[in-house]
């Protein structure tokens, strides 16, 4: 605390005083120590301010978030030090996340390009001329199928569930947090299940929804979402009426070595955070690099992925950052949406009814209350748009030459997201060293 007070004194009396002479309100606003509104409350240390003051540069890690950091989070710091807040978009290493984890695809790219794409990932762009080639599509699709067979064995080993490698493998793998909205995925899967029960002959492709995630130990609602996905999985996977039209898998102990097995086998990549909350994401990059199509919001690096692959090769849905803030300003009441969306209401009522956990009828109360009482992350507000985007995925899957063209274009368009490019950017804009 002695050091923090010294840093604060220097910052307010030298830096802030020089830029805004005599402006005591500004000193109050930028002080590392926050004074409470109510004198009974304690003072607080503004850790983020301390970080910005102490740092040479501050990186927002993707274009959208860097601009939010400048305009919404630290506008005064950006005025004081206009060169401090910068953007270097994150990247992933193509050695681990393609060459090593997906050797068959790496081999196909090697034999097609005959160039060193691993150390110059932009060269993947040369694959685009093959996107419509039936022979190339066949090889690309066969590799995906081989990887899905391999993942199916892992799933059988870890969960004791047999999945069909010809089904759509729809994957959401990331830390469990309400802003990442695994609960949105869960509600939609319950809706798909319900549609199948109402009409078991429904003409839809077979689907396997795959999750892997850890929650912080004390995060009650996150633990509750994990439990709900697992109870739904137990029900769905043993329901003879829908045999293998729908499977739900929650793989335990999510970690890099497991991600390396899931990512090469993914058809669909779920990147569905509330706009404004995912600083970048890197799972989105790993999955698109391996030919998975993204269903995602305009958040984090998804914005730049959409720019690279083209709007026609990604399934974008949901509220934008500006729409999220408009809705919050107008006053958001999740119950309005719940009352007016018949399918969504039926699914939430089902979750609340205890039917999925007859032995513990109140098991999902924390989740249901979080959705209906505040829904801070706007799950209900984005539900219909998300469900519509899934309908577009189903339609695209039914036209294989169209699907594989999109998948190939995704792999071919990921050049920007190499960590080599990120590190080169760090050298130039942050560390001031030549590479
Ligand atoms: C890539 C990766 C992440 C980050 O995933 P996001 O979807 O970007 O949140 C987290 N955990 C593991 C094990 C990963 O490999």
């Amino acid at each position: 605390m002695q050091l923090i007070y010294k840093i604060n004194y220097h910052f307010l009396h030298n830096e802030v005083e020089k830029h805004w002479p005599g402006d005591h309100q500004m000193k109050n606003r930028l002080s590392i120590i926050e004074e409470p509104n109510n004198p009974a409350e304690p003072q607080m240390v503004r850790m983020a301010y301390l970080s910005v003051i102490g740092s040479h540069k501050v990186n927002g890690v993707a274009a959208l978030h860097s601009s939010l950091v400048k305009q919404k989070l630290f506008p005064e710091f950006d005025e004081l030090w206009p060169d401090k807040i910068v953007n270097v978009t994150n990247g992933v290493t193509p050695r681990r996340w393609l060459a090593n984890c997906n050797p068959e695809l790496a081999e196909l790219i090697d034999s097609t390009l005959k160039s060193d794409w691993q150390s110059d990932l932009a060269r993947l762009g040369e694959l685009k001329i093959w996107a419509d080639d039936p022979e190339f599509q066949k090889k690309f699709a066969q590799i995906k199928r081989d990887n899905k067979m391999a993942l199916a064995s892992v799933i059988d080993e870890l969960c004791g569930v047999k999945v069909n490698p010809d089904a759509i493998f729809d994957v959401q793998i990331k830390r469990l947090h309400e802003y990442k909205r695994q609960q949105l995925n869960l509600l939609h899967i319950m809706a798909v299940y319900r549609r199948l029960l109402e009409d078991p002959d429904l003409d839809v492709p077979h689907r396997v929804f795959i999750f892997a995630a850890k929650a912080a130990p004390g995060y009650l609602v996150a633990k509750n979402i994990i439990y709900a996905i697992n109870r739904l999985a137990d029900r769905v996977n043993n329901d003879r009426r829908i045999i293998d039209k729908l499977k739900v898998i929650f793989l335990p102990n999510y970690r890099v070595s497991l991600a390396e097995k899931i990512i090469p086998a993914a058809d669909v990549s779920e990147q569905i955070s509330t706009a404004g909350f995912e600083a970048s994401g890197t799972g989105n990059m790993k999955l698109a690099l391996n030919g998975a199509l993204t269903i995602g919001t305009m958040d984090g690096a998804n914005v730049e992925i959409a720019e690279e692959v083209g709007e026609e090769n990604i399934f974008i849905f949901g509220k934008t950052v500006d729409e999220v803030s408009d809705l919050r300003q107008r006053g958001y009441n999740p119950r309005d949406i719940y009352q007016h969306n018949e399918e969504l209401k039926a699914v939430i009522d089902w979750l609340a009814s205890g039917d999925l956990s007859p032995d513990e009828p109140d098991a999902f109360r924390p989740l249901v209350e979080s959705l209906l009482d505040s829904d801070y992350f706007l799950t209900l507000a984005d539900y219909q748009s998300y469900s519509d985007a899934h309908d577009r995925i189903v339609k695209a899957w039914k036209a294989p030459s169209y699907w594989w063209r999109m998948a190939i274009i995704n792999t071919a368009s990921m050049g920007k997201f190499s960590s080599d490019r990120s590190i080169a950017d760090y050298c130039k804009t942050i560390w001031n060293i030549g590479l």
Side-chain angles (χ1 to χ4, degrees):
M1 282 312 302
Q2 289 173 310
L3 292 172
I4 290 172
Y5 286 132
K6 273 198 186 306
I7 292 166
N8 201 32
Y9 184 89
H10 166 83
F11 171 62
L12 295 177
H13 288 82
N14 299 334
E15 310 276 354
V16 176
E17 175 57 27
K18 199 184 313 163
H19 199 270
W20 292 281
D23 188 341
H24 294 288
Q25 222 176 318
M26 188 59 80
K27 287 195 189 70
N28 205 34
R29 226 158 79 197
L30 293 185
S31 174
I32 299 172
I33 307 299
E34 180 178 295
E35 300 298 332
N37 291 323
N38 173 353
E41 300 287 316
Q43 293 175 308
M44 300 286 270
V45 175
R46 290 167 170 156
M47 297 297 289
Y49 287 16
L50 179 60
S51 302
V52 173
I53 292 162
S55 295
H56 163 61
K57 297 276 179 182
V58 173
N59 181 15
V61 304
L64 174 75
H65 197 247
S66 294
S67 85
L68 292 175
V69 168
K70 275 171 172 268
Q71 290 164 29
K72 302 273 181 275
L73 219 46
F74 304 130
E76 299 88 356
F77 288 108
D78 191 45
E79 186 185 328
L80 185 59
W81 297 309
D83 298 327
K84 186 175 283 211
I85 302 171
V86 298
N87 179 247
V88 173
T89 298
N90 279 166
V92 299
T93 168
R95 273 75 64 188
R96 180 184 296 277
W97 297 112
L98 211 174
N100 207 254
C101 73
N102 196 345
E104 275 199 70
L105 182 56
E107 170 75 41
L108 174 65
I109 297 170
D110 276 336
S111 62
T112 307
L113 296 184
K114 301 178 175 68
S115 71
D116 183 14
W117 56 271
Q118 287 192 39
S119 52
D120 182 8
L121 203 65
R123 296 209 138 177
L124 286 184
E126 297 162 27
L127 287 175
K128 283 179 198 161
I129 54 173
W130 301 98
D132 286 310
D133 183 276
E135 276 307 303
F136 190 84
Q137 284 195 355
K138 203 174 142 193
K139 290 180 192 162
F140 196 96
Q142 184 59 46
I143 291 165
K144 184 63 80 182
R145 195 176 187 287
D146 293 346
N147 293 333
K148 288 164 75 174
M149 289 279 281
L151 181 60
S153 315
V154 172
I155 290 171
D156 195 10
E157 258 167 58
L158 296 176
C159 303
V161 179
K162 302 237 181 315
V163 298
N164 174 4
D166 293 314
I168 301 175
F169 279 22
D170 182 306
V171 163
Q172 186 171 20
I173 49 174
K174 47 184 75 261
R175 282 178 302 114
L176 206 307
H177 197 287
E178 286 169 284
Y179 89 78
K180 289 176 181 283
R181 296 200 295 191
Q182 281 94 350
Q183 72 275 20
L184 177 58
N185 194 345
L186 169 74
L187 293 175
H188 174 255
I189 297 167
M190 291 178 72
V192 169
Y193 183 28
R194 200 172 157 271
R195 291 173 206 162
L196 282 170
L197 292 180
E198 280 179 355
D199 177 8
D201 299 322
L202 209 60
D203 179 29
V204 286
H206 296 190
R207 280 188 273 194
V208 181
F209 290 94
I210 299 166
F211 293 85
K214 287 170 180 170
Y219 188 172
L220 183 88
V221 175
K223 292 286 188 187
N224 199 229
I225 293 168
I226 294 179
Y227 192 48
I229 295 168
N230 276 276
R231 292 301 295 244
L232 177 68
D234 282 345
R235 175 70 61 89
V236 166
N237 298 342
N238 295 299
D239 192 332
R240 306 296 262 270
R241 293 169 293 182
I242 52 160
I243 336 160
D244 59 358
K245 284 200 163 166
L246 178 63
K247 286 278 181 279
V248 180
I249 303 297
F250 195 107
L251 287 162
N253 195 12
Y254 183 49
R255 62 203 188 282
V256 166
S257 56
L258 186 60
E260 289 175 317
K261 297 185 175 114
I262 301 171
I263 289 168
D267 295 306
V268 175
S269 162
E270 299 269 350
Q271 306 300 336
I272 60 178
S273 52
T274 313
F277 284 89
E278 191 72 86
S280 164
T282 53
N284 48 2
M285 301 167 187
K286 299 168 199 169
L287 283 152
L289 180 61
N290 284 272
L293 303 186
T294 303
I295 177 170
T297 47
M298 280 302 225
D299 198 18
N302 297 354
V303 175
E304 291 160 80
I305 290 174
E307 200 172 289
E308 295 298 306
V309 302
E311 302 270 314
E312 67 282 13
N313 297 305
I314 187 167
F315 300 94
I316 296 291
F317 74 94
K319 304 225 171 290
T320 60
V321 167
D322 290 337
E323 289 165 348
V324 166
S325 94
D326 283 354
L327 179 55
R328 288 243 170 88
Q329 213 114 65
R330 288 203 306 272
Y332 171 59
N333 182 359
R335 282 179 196 267
D336 293 343
I337 293 164
Y338 164 82
Q339 290 298 347
H340 290 102
N341 188 320
E342 202 180 317
E343 184 176 67
L344 180 59
K345 180 174 185 304
V347 160
I348 293 175
D349 290 346
W350 183 17
L351 195 61
S353 73
D355 174 67
L356 288 175
S357 53
D359 48 321
E360 310 165 73
D362 286 336
F364 308 125
R365 239 167 88 174
L367 171 57
V368 170
E369 280 179 359
S370 149
L371 290 172
L372 291 181
D373 292 350
S374 74
D375 191 19
Y376 185 75
F377 296 104
L378 307 184
T379 308
L380 273 53
D382 274 347
Y383 175 81
Q384 194 55 52
S385 172
Y386 177 62
S387 174
D388 294 345
H390 267 293
D391 293 347
R392 301 201 296 275
I393 289 176
V394 164
K395 212 170 145 197
W397 181 262
K398 288 178 175 170
S401 63
Y402 177 60
W403 182 276
W404 293 111
R405 172 196 153 79
M406 287 198 283
I408 293 163
I409 288 175
N410 267 261
T411 296
S413 304
M414 287 303 106
K416 171 174 176 182
F417 304 104
S418 171
S419 52
D420 300 341
R421 189 271 315 145
S422 295
I423 290 166
D425 286 357
Y426 271 93
C427 289
K428 262 198 297 279
T429 67
I430 297 181
W431 300 326
N432 295 123
I433 50 173
L435 193 69

